[in-house]
């Protein structure tokens, strides 16, 4: 996937979320549906998942679209499957494909902060 196109898609989604009508709609939804408004369920929120190392259980990805760099597609599909959103964020032929990833993801090269976390003993823990 082309980084420029991904950024364009993310920018378009952000423009939609900034619209007054979108914000008004989200202000009226039932509290159990607010996560659909922010951060929302979208392809770019998965591909630009941010790595969070604040949990005592180890680093994990937040599907919030706020990362600077896109994560590898295989990781994005895995995270989307784990969160139960694969059928919403990927075409069926992609969400059903067998991945070449283990049952967990470790913090290696997915984020520039991995070396810092590894030095503190947190970089090799599983992501969720």
């Amino acid at each position: 996937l082309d980084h420029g196109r991904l950024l364009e898609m993310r920018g378009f989604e952000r423009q939609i979320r900034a619209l007054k009508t979108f914000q008004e709609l989200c202000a009226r939804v039932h509290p159990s549906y607010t996560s659909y408004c922010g951060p929302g369920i979208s392809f770019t929120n998965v591909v630009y998942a941010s790595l969070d190392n604040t949990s005592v259980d180890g680093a994990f990805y937040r599907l919030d679209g706020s990362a600077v760099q896109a994560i590898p597609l295989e990781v994005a599909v895995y995270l989307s499957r784990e969160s139960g959103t694969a059928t919403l964020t990927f075409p069926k032929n992609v969400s059903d494909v067998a991945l070449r990833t283990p049952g967990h993801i470790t913090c290696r090269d997915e984020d520039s902060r991995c070396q810092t976390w590894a030095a503190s003993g947190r970089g090799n823990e599983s992501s969720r």
Side-chain angles (χ1 to χ4, degrees), residues 51-52 57-61 75 78-79 82 103-108 110 117 123-128:
L51 197 54
D52 184 336
D57 295 328
F60 64 96
Y61 282 100
V75 176
Y78 173 82
L79 293 173
E82 289 295 303
H104 68 283
I105 301 167
T106 57
C107 182
R108 290 191 188 102
E110 315 310 337
W117 295 340
N124 293 322
E125 297 179 17
S126 295
S127 299
R128 294 188 227 155

Side-chain angles (χ1 to χ4, degrees), residues 24-125:
E24 289 171 350
L25 173 68
C26 287
R28 294 192 314 256
V29 300
H30 188 273
S32 63
Y33 295 111
T34 58
S35 65
Y36 292 111
C37 290
I41 298 173
S42 74
F43 173 73
T44 59
N45 280 355
V46 175
V47 173
Y48 285 98
S50 62
L51 197 54
D52 184 336
N53 71 335
T54 60
S55 172
V56 295
D57 295 328
F60 64 96
Y61 282 100
R62 291 189 183 280
L63 307 183
D64 59 7
S66 68
V68 174
Q69 289 195 315
I71 59 177
L73 184 59
E74 292 84 4
V75 176
V77 172
Y78 173 82
L79 293 173
S80 190
R81 283 181 178 170
E82 289 295 303
S83 71
T85 63
T87 58
L88 300 172
T89 54
F90 288 96
K92 184 169 176 29
N93 63 335
V94 174
S95 63
D96 287 346
V97 74
L99 299 179
R100 297 175 309 230
T101 57
H104 68 283
I105 301 167
T106 57
C107 182
R108 290 191 188 102
D109 297 326
E110 315 310 337
D111 191 286
S112 61
R113 297 167 287 188
C114 286
Q115 289 180 347
T116 304
W117 295 340
S120 68
R122 297 191 74 176
N124 293 322
E125 297 179 17

